[in-house]
Amino acid sequence: MANQIAAGEVIERPASIVKELVENALDAGARRIDVSVREGGREEIIVQDDGSGMARADAERACLRHATSKLREIDEIERIASYGFRGEALASISSISKTTIETCENRAAEGTCIRVQQGKVLEVLPAGVPEGTKITVRELFASVPARRKFLRTAQTELAHISDWLLRAALARPEVAFSLTHGAREVFRHPAVADPGERLRQVQGATRAGEMLACSGEAHGIRVTGWVSRAGKSYPQSKAILSYVGGRVVRDRVLTRAVLDAYRALLPQGRYPAAVLFLELPPGEVDVNVHPGKVEVRFANGDQVYSAVLRTIRQALEDGIQAPAALETRGDVASTQESSPSMVRGASGGSEVSARVEESLARYAARPGSRETRSYTIRSTEQATDRRDRAGVSVPGGSDRQDAMEFAAKGDAEPSSDGRPAGLPRFA
Ligand SMILES: Nc1ncnc2c1ncn2[C@@H]1O[C@H](COP(=O)(O)OP(=O)(O)O)[C@@H](O)[C@H]1O
Ligand SMILES: [Mg+2]
């Protein structure tokens, strides 16, 4: 029962299951992840990886609540590198479905097959299975009809799955990803060394060709990725994808910074596209604010805003002279060595700085910024658990409630063309 309650928090829909299983596969060092679903995942979800696999005893424990092999000391939660660390996902998933785990450790003589139904282990058998792990989840929410009723059409659930998987694929070009729906292959992206190649696989050559590589660092915050050229615009803001520490996140500070970077460059009602990867020093970001872990809290949102804004501005400025071909992140890394400071005074940089300063000033003076700070101090003082202590501020947003509403809006239907989508219109 406790697991079913927890499941409601973590598992909203088939895409949440795919997310948890794929993150586990990535944590296990998989180089190939194949996802196969039936009926939008309502009938069946299979995630197969070629990662480390599990020893039999570990596999038996994996479905217990708080069974995690990834967290050794409590302090580690602050600087955790793996996606998982709560040990809740498999417990939750297996409590609301029929789950089968087939797993074999590397070079082990034999593997294991475990069947779990509504949280009860039915059988544990030796099995001749390939190295790695294959998890099959059937009859999702069969025991929780109220939840099952909320699932949308197979097509919609599939779009959510595809959407999330493509976002994950963008961050991990060295891993091969595929998605199959029934008998139809939705996509198959082989592993590639060049992140720009993965962008082309995921977004298509045309769309990728409309992007400029960007790279910058400020206040210890590193920003890399791609942004759309100044002359390009899109009808919705959901083409703005952001990642923190390799995790897909949704965050209003990041979205605001992207939109402000294009201020006055795009026609009214049109939006830029962006794929942005942020790396922050440990302690500067809390990814632990929500079990789904798509929200983050920055200790210093103003610095994040400024780093993103400056990086994009610089890329747009450089892009005016650049050829139309896609520049990869690799190219930029070498460019960057010769000019480590991203805010350069020369070569048109003064216009960049002027615009940047203007946006920063406007951002600092935004309504609610003072209230946000005083709220922050209060909540820091009152914090009783470490999550609140680490989560310091959500600049521009009034508070957590705001962030929740924002996330809820982001749950709108994804794009029908299977491209990454999901970010809400910035109000
Ligand atoms: N695909 C996989 N390959 C290897 N080990 C796995 C895999 N999936 C789950 N596990 C093991 O099961 C444990 C529980 O998984 P999960 O419930 O997602 O918790 P968490 O990821 O937070 O540790 C993991 O810590 C890991 O040891
Ligand atoms: Mg996990």
Side-chain angles (χ1 to χ4, degrees):
M1 191 58 194
N3 283 344
Q4 288 197 357
I5 293 165
E9 241 192 305
V10 186
I11 315 296
E12 267 176 84
R13 59 184 348 146
S16 335
I17 293 184
V18 171
K19 172 182 185 292
E20 294 295 337
L21 298 181
V22 167
E23 288 185 345
N24 281 346
L26 290 169
D27 282 345
R31 288 288 151 154
R32 205 199 74 225
I33 301 176
D34 295 306
V35 179
S36 155
V37 301
R38 287 199 289 129
E39 285 298 303
R42 290 179 304 176
E43 291 313 314
E44 186 179 77
I45 297 168
I46 301 175
V47 176
Q48 176 150 27
D49 70 58
D50 64 351
S52 62
M54 286 175 263
R56 185 162 307 152
D58 292 336
E60 284 183 62
R61 268 198 302 271
C63 288
L64 300 178
R65 195 153 158 73
H66 303 305
T68 175
S69 60
K70 297 167 197 169
L71 188 64
R72 271 143 290 247
E73 306 156 40
I74 197 69
D75 270 5
E76 241 182 276
I77 214 164
E78 309 284 353
R79 54 196 154 80
I80 200 85
S82 59
Y83 291 105
F85 51 82
R86 294 162 168 271
E88 276 172 12
L90 279 182
S92 298
I93 292 166
S94 60
S95 74
I96 49 158
S97 69
K98 288 184 181 171
T99 302
T100 304
I101 301 174
E102 290 162 275
T103 189
C104 183
E105 278 194 299
N106 295 28
R107 284 182 289 278
E110 81 181 354
T112 304
C113 173
I114 299 182
R115 279 182 226 287
V116 190
Q117 192 172 325
Q118 320 303 345
K120 288 196 184 61
V121 177
L122 300 184
E123 58 184 6
V124 181
L125 298 167
V129 293
E131 288 182 11
T133 302
K134 175 180 175 184
I135 298 194
T136 304
V137 178
R138 291 208 178 93
E139 299 179 29
L140 179 59
F141 295 133
S143 61
V144 201
R147 277 217 92 88
R148 197 172 164 89
K149 234 175 42 199
F150 279 103
L151 296 178
R152 312 289 286 271
T153 64
Q155 217 40 50
T156 299
E157 296 301 342
L158 175 67
H160 280 284
I161 291 169
S162 167
D163 195 51
W164 187 84
L165 205 54
L166 287 172
R167 287 181 184 217
L170 278 173
R172 304 295 298 267
E174 77 285 7
V175 178
F177 287 88
S178 75
L179 174 64
T180 306
H181 188 222
R184 181 172 73 93
E185 183 174 284
V186 181
F187 63 80
R188 177 171 299 274
H189 299 319
V192 283
D194 171 11
E197 187 57 37
R198 178 50 60 85
L199 181 72
R200 274 185 289 266
Q201 290 175 331
V202 169
Q203 301 205 330
T206 308
R207 177 71 170 267
E210 295 170 359
M211 306 283 263
L212 291 164
C214 66
S215 176
E217 190 159 356
H219 319 290
I221 301 163
R222 188 164 163 69
V223 184
T224 56
W226 303 275
V227 293
S228 50
R229 290 174 181 277
K232 296 290 170 188
S233 69
Y234 305 89
Q236 281 165 318
S237 67
K238 63 189 184 183
I240 301 169
L241 306 180
S242 44
Y243 300 77
V244 172
R247 286 170 204 274
V248 176
V249 302
R250 215 177 250 155
D251 181 79
R252 58 192 310 145
V253 177
L254 297 178
T255 310
R256 186 78 264 161
V258 175
L259 295 180
D260 286 355
Y262 284 84
R263 189 178 283 277
L265 288 177
L266 301 181
Q268 190 79 64
R270 301 284 294 180
Y271 296 87
V275 180
L276 289 178
F277 300 99
L278 271 78
E279 298 295 337
L280 288 90
E284 286 294 302
V285 60
D286 181 14
V287 291
N288 196 21
V289 293
H290 184 270
K293 293 171 292 224
V294 292
E295 290 170 31
V296 286
R297 286 192 207 174
F298 298 116
N300 199 328
D302 291 20
Q303 290 185 349
V304 172
Y305 174 88
S306 144
V308 171
L309 182 82
R310 286 171 191 275
T311 301
I312 297 177
R313 269 282 163 197
Q314 189 64 58
L316 290 173
E317 190 68 23
D318 293 349
I320 291 168
Q321 290 104 25
L326 173 72
E327 300 135 64
T328 67
R329 279 206 287 164
D331 292 344
V332 167
S334 51
T335 314
Q336 237 221 330
E337 277 164 32
S338 56
S339 54
S341 160
M342 56 169 231
V343 187
R344 296 193 290 274
S347 72
S350 57
E351 215 223 327
V352 176
S353 335
R355 283 183 182 279
V356 166
E357 293 316 323
E358 188 196 320
S359 293
L360 290 177
R362 196 182 298 108
Y363 188 71
R366 72 204 178 279
S369 63
R370 277 179 180 279
E371 290 82 340
T372 303
R373 286 205 186 94
S374 57
Y375 164 81
T376 299
I377 293 160
R378 265 203 318 278
S379 67
T380 305
E381 283 168 358
Q382 291 167 357
T384 48
D385 79 12
R386 56 150 299 284
R387 280 204 252 161
D388 284 351
R389 265 183 278 128
V392 186
S393 75
V394 186
S398 48
D399 60 17
R400 170 117 175 99
Q401 181 57 35
D402 221 297
M404 297 293 283
E405 277 170 23
F406 194 64
K409 271 188 248 156
D411 201 36
E413 299 306 284
S415 61
S416 52
D417 60 1
R419 302 270 191 256
L423 265 168
R425 241 186 157 77
F426 201 95

